[in-house]
Amino acid sequence: MKGIFPIEKFRNLQTPFYYYDTDLLRNTLNVINREAERYENFQVHYAVKANANAKILAVIRDSGMGADCVSGGEIRAALQAGFPAGKIVYAGVGKADWEIELGLDNDILCFNVESVPELEVINALAAAKGKVARVAFRINPNVGAHTHAHITTGLAENKFGISMDDMDRVIDLALGMSNVRFIGLHFHIGSQILDMGDFAALCNRINELQARLAARRILVEHINVGGGLGIDYQHPNRQPVPDFAAYFACYHKHLRRYGQQTIHFELGRSIVGQCGSLITQVLYVKQGTHKQFAIVDAGMTDLIRPALYQAYHKIENLTSERPVETYDVVGPICESSDVFGKAVDLNGVTRHDLLALRSAGAYGEIMASGYNCRALPQGYTSDELRD
Ligand code: LLP
């Protein structure tokens, strides 16, 4: 065992693989529940897109959370894991008919609708089934978040949601339809957000929109503020459980609530990010001209975030106490972007050492691909690997 990792157990497993510390996950879920329960009608949905490993979903389901899905496949995964349909919300700019029907057949809590044509299709499909679909409109609040351009979603230029200017017209349209029931508004400004000021800005925008609706005597029962709370990738051990107290307090302080409105949150990364690591084995140490490479058996097919977003994941050598040296840590994929880190300081690396890429529980395993005909990585939990 080095720190939190059962290394002897790792030696029996085929690398690369994901390792999930389910004690940390449970601890994180307990903190979320405790902090959300301080406020009336705060309901948290786990954003399944962050990690849909069935073992992880089972732990999260046990906490009593709902699920936030963005595809029919995710709705199926959530239902299979035992999330109640009445706690499933479903967003996405391109919902196919079968996906909408799956949601209708299971009576999910809410469709987060992103366009007028989508609203019309939901109304028609619900009519054909003699059902009434609960819908919220995803409003693009035009609030920027200080995060990577690929993961900001709340700006007017993004493809997501309905613009604020169109909101009243779309609501009127829904109110005139007989097979949808307009219940609320949905927002999401981006991901990996660490500045509470960004969430406060979203609250202010929601307050403006709600005041506009109140002037028209429209009161919604459901406000969904999306997800986006970030994690500390630089120091995964320093604060393994994100500051949920500050997060919920921010919404409590800045969001004006009307009546018994429920406030829904869709958290992904902050729930599962820190509990997961990608464990990989060193294949070769290669001397370059001015540097040395640690060539590992994991690649961008197992964890694409560094290649796709220039994301940082802390790398540790789990099996060496040798003096620190500097390496470029690279994978075996035939792409020059298949690099996990440049000039990384690691305890001296030799063949067969095990490295951990930390903070990989969110958007890691789920974004793996079979490029280069590689097998998908397995995921193991600390529960399974316990003595
Ligand atoms: N709700 C909606 C509507 C979303 O689009 C997302 C994430 C979430 C909730 C959950 O956000 P979170 O709490 O995890 O920040 N693959 C990227 C992240 C993409 C996020 C997409 N939307 C990454 O690896 O950083």
Side-chain angles (χ1 to χ4, degrees):
M1 196 98 176
K2 175 162 173 177
I4 55 175
F5 296 104
I7 292 160
E8 298 73 30
K9 295 283 166 71
F10 285 178
R11 285 292 182 197
N12 304 323
L13 300 172
Q14 175 76 48
T15 51
F17 60 87
Y18 277 88
Y19 172 70
Y20 299 108
D21 178 347
T22 20
D23 293 331
L24 174 58
L25 176 57
R26 281 193 203 92
N27 188 8
T28 306
L29 293 163
N30 289 340
V31 171
I32 294 172
N33 279 337
R34 188 187 72 213
E35 295 304 327
E37 278 162 14
R38 287 185 200 283
Y39 311 104
E40 227 177 308
N41 295 336
F42 272 23
Q43 294 184 16
V44 181
H45 302 262
Y46 167 60
V48 174
K49 66 176 80 65
N51 189 321
N53 182 307
K55 299 167 195 172
I56 297 297
L57 290 182
V59 175
I60 298 173
R61 175 216 52 215
D62 283 347
S63 75
M65 248 172 222
D68 157 40
C69 299
V70 289
S71 70
E74 285 191 2
I75 295 175
R76 275 194 192 128
L79 291 171
Q80 261 161 29
F83 285 88
K87 288 187 178 180
I88 293 179
V89 294
Y90 174 28
V93 288
K95 299 180 183 77
D97 292 14
W98 72 267
E99 298 179 299
I100 294 170
E101 289 178 335
L102 182 67
L104 290 169
D105 290 341
N106 287 284
D107 288 320
I108 60 168
L109 172 62
C110 187
F111 290 85
N112 291 326
V113 172
E114 308 218 11
S115 67
V116 170
E118 179 194 330
L119 178 69
E120 288 165 346
V121 170
I122 293 177
N123 187 50
L125 293 175
K129 290 180 183 291
K131 297 210 169 201
V132 176
R134 282 174 294 276
V135 300
F137 290 119
R138 177 166 180 179
I139 305 297
N140 189 330
N142 206 12
V143 170
H146 301 96
T147 184
H148 192 279
H150 289 184
I151 50 178
T152 55
T153 44
L155 288 174
E157 67 200 48
N158 293 128
K159 70 177 174 181
F160 299 100
I162 292 165
S163 79
M164 288 182 294
D165 299 339
D166 290 342
M167 182 182 77
D168 294 272
R169 184 177 67 83
V170 179
I171 291 174
D172 288 341
L173 207 63
L175 292 175
M177 290 179 175
S178 41
N179 294 85
V180 296
R181 186 159 79 80
F182 167 62
I183 63 165
L185 302 176
H186 174 227
F187 305 86
H188 176 74
I189 53 172
S191 200
Q192 184 51 18
I193 297 167
L194 291 164
D195 181 349
M196 292 298 141
D198 290 337
F199 297 121
L202 171 63
C203 290
N204 291 337
R205 189 49 58 75
I206 298 174
N207 294 345
E208 284 168 34
L209 293 174
Q210 289 222 83
R212 214 160 97 187
L213 291 182
R216 297 185 55 203
R217 304 206 177 291
I218 296 174
L219 239 179
V220 295
E221 63 198 68
H222 171 120
I223 296 284
N224 183 331
V225 298
L229 179 62
I231 61 173
D232 188 347
Y233 281 97
Q234 309 291 327
H235 307 103
N237 298 332
R238 194 183 280 173
Q239 197 188 7
V241 180
D243 192 353
F244 293 105
Y247 175 73
F248 291 120
C250 174
Y251 278 99
H252 175 68
K253 178 165 177 216
H254 294 283
L255 190 62
R256 170 149 185 230
R257 297 169 69 179
Y258 293 77
Q260 286 301 299
Q261 259 176 356
T262 51
I263 310 300
H264 299 260
F265 299 85
E266 302 173 334
L267 295 171
R269 189 189 316 268
S270 54
I271 298 178
V272 290
Q274 294 295 25
C275 79
S277 297
L278 176 62
I279 308 297
T280 180
Q281 189 170 165
V282 176
L283 297 175
Y284 305 105
V285 178
K286 169 167 144 175
Q287 297 301 323
T289 321
H290 299 297
K291 54 168 78 169
Q292 53 185 348
F293 296 95
I295 302 172
V296 298
D297 63 359
M300 61 192 283
T301 51
D302 306 293
L303 177 64
I304 200 174
R305 304 191 69 258
L308 195 56
Y309 316 116
Q310 295 76 50
Y312 172 80
H313 286 267
K314 187 168 199 273
I315 307 178
E316 291 168 1
N317 188 341
L318 301 182
T319 49
S320 164
E321 301 289 345
R322 287 179 290 274
V324 169
E325 294 184 44
T326 304
Y327 303 86
D328 279 13
V329 179
V330 302
I333 311 299
C334 300
E335 295 275 347
S336 31
S337 56
D338 186 30
V339 175
F340 287 127
K342 289 195 168 160
V344 182
D345 288 338
L346 294 172
N347 288 107
V349 170
T350 51
R351 178 169 162 81
H352 298 318
D353 275 352
L354 292 176
L355 308 189
L357 283 91
R358 302 289 309 275
S359 314
Y363 308 108
E365 185 179 352
I366 193 70
M367 292 180 78
S369 78
Y371 183 44
N372 284 190
C373 287
R374 283 166 61 85
L376 294 178
Q378 296 294 305
Y380 301 98
T381 65
S382 51
D383 290 344
E384 288 174 278
L385 301 186
R386 230 185 287 280
D387 290 314

